Amino acid sequence: MMSNTNVPNSATSPKLFILSMTSPLNYLMCAPDHYDVDYVINPWMEGNVHKSSRDRAVEQWQKLYGVLKGLVNVELVTPAKGWPDMVFTANAGLVLGDKAVLSRFLHKERQGEEPYFKAWFESKGFTVYELPKDLPFEGAGDALFDRSGGWLWAGYGFRSELDAHPYLAKWLDVEVLSLRLIDNRFYHLDTCFCPLTGGYLLYYPPAFDSYSNRLIEMRVPADKRIAIEEADAVNFACNAVNVDRNVVMNKISDRLKQRITDAGFTVIETPLTEFLKAGGAAKCLTLRTIEVPIAAESEQGAIEQGGVEARIVELTGHLLDSGIINRALDLVTDNGGSFQVLEFNLGEQRQSTSLARIRISAPSHDLMETIMGELIEIGAVLQDRETCAANLEPVLQDGVAPDDFYVSTIYPTEACVDGEWIRCTNQRMDAAIAISPDGKTATCKLLRDLIVGDRVVVGYDGVRTVRKPEARDTAKKEEFSFMGAGVSSERRVELVVEQIAWELRQIRDRGGKLVVSCGPVVVHTGGAPHLAYLIREGYVQSMLGGNAIAVHDMEQSSMGTSLGVDLKRGVSVKGGHRHHLKVINSVRRYGSIHKAVEAGFVKTGVMYECVKNDIPFVLAGSIRDDGPLPDTVMDLLEAQRLYSEQIRGADMILMLSSMLHSIGVGNMTPAGVKMVCVDINPAVVTKLSDRGSVESVGVVTDVGLFLSLLVQQLKKLDSPVAVAA
Ligand code: ARG
């Protein structure tokens, strides 16, 4: 096996391949003497074991052979007994010029074909390249040359490994574009992708992930892409042999036939049903053995080149019990990368931690960045440089970070500077990590706060997030299970309320900090008196909201309506739509909410309790604000700053039905702060729980109802007997 340090790089300059006009094309086939469906290694073979007719298979194969002989020179390799899939010579290897990269089959059912194909290649004078053991690559079944650009399209995801692609690039000196297959019916690239003469492409887009589709669309102009439908795809329409303007394939729909014809091709259909039972058709049954490289720059040279990148990361912790290892490996493949576990030391005792060293590869730099970002978020550390050191780059313009700056997350983060891991202060998401000139401190800084000369962490080297070891103890896990559960439904609301009430009591009694962020719906739904109760009883240490919550709260306490609606009777009051403006006007006359309260204009409610109990509040303005109130901060940057000041040191944040303020607050809050988001709109709640921190819980319900239940529960805790009575 090759060592990790000398994995070849891909992305050499694109070459152009043209058909040799003087010598006829050569194809390799293998007669179906021993063909049968003997085992199941793809979905097509399922239910078809020994169900194909040898006679019909022979007849169909002969027909195809006949058609091809009319177009090209066909050579034959002797079939070997016991290797029924050897008919599919596309999987023998990949040929370019006088070089052949021999296949390394994934399944042992086909590995026995390798020596026969190797011998054939050698007998024909090819230089044979063999991939490291355990690095599967299934030849031309998963690698197809573009017919005008000269690069190689290579598939991965089922049979071939992404890590094989750099070898192809190096050995064949060709640019390799990696495409990820995601539908197991189309397990080989040639089952859903067929480059045609003149730069056309016949393919089935849903067989590829979105990144791969984008890559295809970047390289193949729209008028050359012939995207086919599922009905044709499952008849292996893409598994076609293309010789000049001829396309040889299994039976397809008239519509598709017309489209291919319109593109200037002659469709030659030949039935291959017996081979479909093994998951192959025309193209699988052949291998083109003359592929001629011509050194010429492609016109596409300007397009950015892809190229497989590889990095090594380490993960430590209760990797198995906590499921981190699964999450890590899944996120790599979900993002289009692949991995190789280089080392896994399983902790021996229940309490001992495990260590995994994993080599990650990705088909492009962009995808590698995405994968690294997510891996670091779950605690992985890049470990492929001699020393771990964060890369620092200076800020060259106030308020602008260097490209590739590391974007912070909500999790406690450390950067390695001068050999020391230092913990970031002001942890929050979406900030840059700035290192002090002496290299001793690291701070999360918003872009707008960066100044020329700041040094900022770029890339992923020397950055790690320090995650609390995930709970080992199941009993402990259950205690907070409602927290981890994310979005809860109506029937769970009461249970959740009980637990939140309990938490609120704990926080208050130990002198902790609860921050409430809320929208005007709190008032409209009748929740204001309950929220006022929470403030009065010392549960709330800080109040955040917009202009509207304060306006409607004071409208209610001074005029009995909320947006002109009488909350007690539930009807609109005549002229009520002006009420809120009158309130704003009055408070403006007093000069501030404090003064309006002191003057006795506001006698109850949320704002009243804030003032009376010395609870700091911040009202952040927005474009739609009427007035505004004198207290509303219309400078948004200032409002954000004031919010984050209030959030500092919070133990819990109760987010009450305001998408704007909840998300704003969520963005400023580091992991470890419990967030309870209450909203009737599940989308808001989901958005917040997407932060993924175990401490957040979403409650989808009417906020007025929620607050009333919460207060009821708190009162019960205060005097269980009185309430029960
Ligand atoms: N039964 C064979 C397999 O699963 C079919 C191979 C088809 N070949 C191809 N190039 N798609 O390996």
Side-chain angles (χ1 to χ4, degrees):
M1 162 120 30
M2 281 192 139
S3 83
N4 300 304
T5 43
N6 59 17
V7 168
N9 277 322
S10 70
T12 55
S13 61
K15 302 275 166 29
L16 199 71
F17 298 84
I18 56 163
L19 307 182
S20 162
M21 294 302 165
T22 45
S23 61
L25 287 171
N26 269 10
Y27 277 75
L28 176 67
M29 292 182 72
C30 175
D33 301 9
H34 308 292
Y35 171 70
D36 194 2
V37 180
D38 275 357
Y39 44 75
V40 177
I41 56 170
N42 69 49
W44 305 94
M45 300 174 101
E46 236 163 77
N48 275 328
V49 171
H50 305 314
K51 293 265 170 65
S52 73
S53 138
R54 172 72 50 76
D55 293 346
R56 214 173 314 134
V58 169
E59 185 194 318
Q60 293 181 343
W61 186 90
Q62 287 293 351
K63 232 179 185 161
L64 175 69
Y65 179 57
V67 172
L68 289 178
K69 272 211 301 198
L71 298 169
V72 297
N73 183 23
V74 182
E75 296 179 279
L76 295 173
V77 55
T78 316
K81 190 146 191 277
W83 304 106
D85 272 336
M86 200 172 157
V87 282
F88 298 114
T89 51
N91 302 119
L94 175 68
V95 171
L96 182 63
D98 58 359
K99 297 171 180 171
V101 179
L102 190 67
S103 283
R104 253 221 199 290
F105 286 97
L106 173 71
H107 296 291
K108 62 175 184 333
E109 286 84 345
R110 294 199 64 182
Q111 287 166 357
E113 299 170 36
E114 290 167 17
Y116 297 102
F117 288 131
K118 181 177 178 191
W120 186 86
F121 284 127
E122 281 174 348
S123 76
K124 295 288 165 178
F126 287 97
T127 307
V128 177
Y129 292 83
E130 289 179 78
L131 286 154
K133 191 171 136 285
D134 296 329
L135 188 56
F137 166 65
E138 300 203 345
D142 262 334
L144 297 157
F145 288 103
D146 188 85
R147 294 282 159 224
S148 74
W151 57 81
L152 181 71
W153 297 103
Y156 69 104
F158 295 107
R159 297 296 187 83
S160 300
E161 254 319 312
L162 180 62
D163 279 333
H165 297 180
Y167 289 93
L168 306 178
K170 187 177 107 168
W171 289 336
L172 304 180
D173 186 21
V174 65
E175 182 191 11
V176 176
L177 298 183
S178 304
L179 299 176
R180 179 172 167 232
L181 299 165
I182 55 170
D183 179 336
N184 69 352
R185 296 173 301 172
F186 305 104
Y187 57 94
H188 275 142
L189 183 63
D190 68 0
T191 61
C192 51
F193 190 90
C194 182
L196 300 176
T197 309
Y200 283 92
L201 174 66
L202 188 65
Y203 76 125
Y204 178 56
F208 299 91
D209 72 358
S210 57
Y211 175 84
S212 304
N213 269 301
R214 222 176 329 126
L215 194 61
I216 294 169
E217 286 160 21
M218 260 167 58
R219 289 290 173 116
V220 185
D223 60 323
K224 298 256 161 133
R225 297 196 295 263
I226 308 175
I228 72 165
E229 314 249 320
E230 190 178 11
D232 279 313
V234 296
N235 276 320
F236 274 57
C238 291
N239 200 251
V241 182
N242 169 224
V243 182
D244 297 329
R245 287 279 160 182
N246 302 297
V247 190
V248 185
M249 52 179 34
N250 185 42
K251 183 115 190 68
I252 56 168
S253 70
D254 289 343
R255 226 170 71 85
L256 179 58
K257 198 164 161 180
Q258 190 57 51
R259 287 175 64 203
I260 300 175
T261 311
D262 289 347
F265 294 89
T266 307
V267 175
I268 306 171
E269 286 168 305
T270 180
L272 291 162
T273 51
E274 293 318 299
F275 297 98
L276 249 56
K277 293 176 183 166
K283 159 70 172 60
C284 300
L285 292 165
T286 66
L287 175 70
R288 182 145 152 172
T289 53
I290 293 190
E291 296 277 9
V292 192
I294 299 273
E297 286 305 319
S298 133
E299 295 161 33
Q300 303 275 355
I303 295 178
E304 226 196 298
Q305 295 186 3
V308 179
E309 283 195 12
R311 308 266 351 226
I312 294 170
V313 298
E314 260 182 34
L315 271 166
T316 40
H318 296 294
L319 301 181
L320 283 186
D321 311 342
S322 64
I324 289 194
I325 192 78
N326 296 348
R327 248 198 291 157
L329 300 181
D330 282 354
L331 82 82
V332 172
T333 45
D334 289 351
N335 280 305
S338 72
F339 61 81
Q340 186 188 351
V341 178
L342 302 174
E343 212 181 307
F344 191 88
N345 294 328
L346 184 57
E348 280 172 19
Q349 308 293 336
R350 205 166 112 84
Q351 298 303 334
S352 38
T353 54
S354 307
L355 173 121
R357 265 166 57 77
I358 309 168
R359 184 175 180 281
I360 312 287
S361 36
S364 72
H365 182 67
D366 277 2
L367 285 183
M368 183 58 98
E369 297 267 287
T370 310
I371 291 171
M372 282 305 139
E374 292 186 23
L375 280 176
I376 286 179
E377 205 167 301
I378 63 171
V381 186
L382 266 168
Q383 280 306 4
D384 48 6
R385 303 282 187 267
E386 301 259 291
T387 50
C388 74
N391 293 314
L392 304 183
E393 269 182 34
V395 169
L396 299 175
Q397 184 184 343
D398 285 348
V400 181
D403 284 344
D404 292 338
F405 72 101
Y406 176 81
V407 181
S408 66
T409 64
I410 59 175
Y411 303 106
T413 304
E414 296 182 347
C416 186
V417 182
D418 302 329
E420 301 265 348
W421 286 100
I422 44 180
R423 176 71 66 99
C424 288
T425 56
N426 274 344
Q427 190 64 49
R428 59 160 293 154
M429 65 190 266
D430 296 346
I433 296 178
I435 306 295
S436 61
D438 64 0
K440 295 270 184 276
T441 58
T443 316
C444 283
K445 263 187 148 186
L446 293 175
L447 296 181
R448 59 173 181 260
D449 296 330
L450 292 172
I451 47 171
V452 171
D454 275 348
R455 289 182 308 157
V456 162
V457 175
V458 293
Y460 294 96
D461 288 285
V463 183
R464 68 180 184 200
T465 56
V466 188
R467 304 292 298 266
K468 276 192 289 205
E470 313 254 331
R472 286 274 307 106
D473 206 358
T474 22
K476 208 168 156 206
K477 240 181 193 160
E478 246 156 319
E479 184 184 325
F480 286 113
S481 58
F482 85 97
M483 289 293 188
V487 182
S488 40
S489 60
E490 236 14 284
R491 68 186 172 78
R492 296 191 60 211
V493 168
E494 284 190 38
L495 176 69
V496 172
V497 164
E498 272 174 33
Q499 305 199 44
I500 295 171
W502 173 256
E503 289 264 322
L504 289 193
R505 279 269 297 212
Q506 302 274 22
I507 292 172
R508 183 189 68 176
D509 295 351
R510 65 163 189 261
K513 182 171 184 181
L514 173 76
V515 177
V516 173
S517 75
C518 53
V521 179
V522 167
V523 182
H524 306 326
T525 56
H530 306 302
L531 181 53
Y533 171 89
L534 294 181
I535 300 170
R536 192 163 58 239
E537 295 299 318
Y539 290 107
V540 180
Q541 280 65 49
S542 180
M543 241 282 301
L544 307 173
N547 193 60
I549 167 87
V551 171
H552 297 301
D553 168 63
M554 292 186 292
E555 175 191 338
Q556 206 204 344
S557 72
S558 63
M559 317 187 82
T561 56
S562 165
L563 257 191
V565 174
D566 183 322
L567 279 186
K568 290 221 177 71
R569 292 181 297 140
V571 292
S572 301
V573 174
K574 208 156 177 268
H577 63 285
R578 297 215 185 83
H579 282 183
H580 79 282
L581 285 171
K582 293 187 174 171
V583 171
I584 292 170
N585 194 44
S586 303
V587 178
R588 289 177 71 85
R589 181 173 302 118
Y590 289 110
S592 72
I593 295 175
H594 276 85
K595 288 181 183 152
V597 170
E598 296 310 339
F601 173 72
V602 181
K603 297 191 190 65
T604 58
V606 174
M607 300 321 294
Y608 171 84
E609 297 296 349
C610 283
V611 171
K612 285 298 182 192
N613 295 283
D614 258 334
I615 300 305
F617 58 84
V618 179
L619 304 178
S622 81
I623 190 96
R624 53 175 292 189
D625 286 344
D626 289 326
L629 291 167
D631 305 72
T632 303
V633 184
M634 295 307 285
D635 175 347
L636 262 189
L637 299 187
E638 177 63 4
Q640 283 190 347
R641 199 185 58 74
L642 291 170
Y643 260 48
S644 67
E645 228 172 69
Q646 290 302 321
I647 288 165
R648 207 156 299 152
D651 297 287
M652 186 193 277
I653 303 183
L654 197 52
M655 302 167 157
L656 303 175
S657 60
S658 163
M659 166 138 86
L660 195 65
H661 296 279
S662 302
I663 293 172
V665 164
N667 289 349
M668 303 175 186
T669 309
V673 180
K674 279 179 191 133
M675 297 197 314
V676 176
C677 177
V678 184
D679 208 296
I680 195 80
N681 178 359
V684 177
V685 171
T686 309
K687 176 122 195 177
L688 254 296
S689 22
D690 276 354
R691 276 165 52 106
S693 68
V694 278
E695 307 90 3
S696 9
V697 58
V699 189
V700 178
T701 190
D702 176 272
V703 71
L705 176 70
F706 172 85
L707 284 169
S708 110
L709 289 173
L710 182 61
V711 166
Q712 207 179 313
Q713 183 62 25
L714 285 168
K715 286 181 177 165
K716 210 191 291 181
L717 291 174
D718 274 338
S719 56
V721 191
V723 174

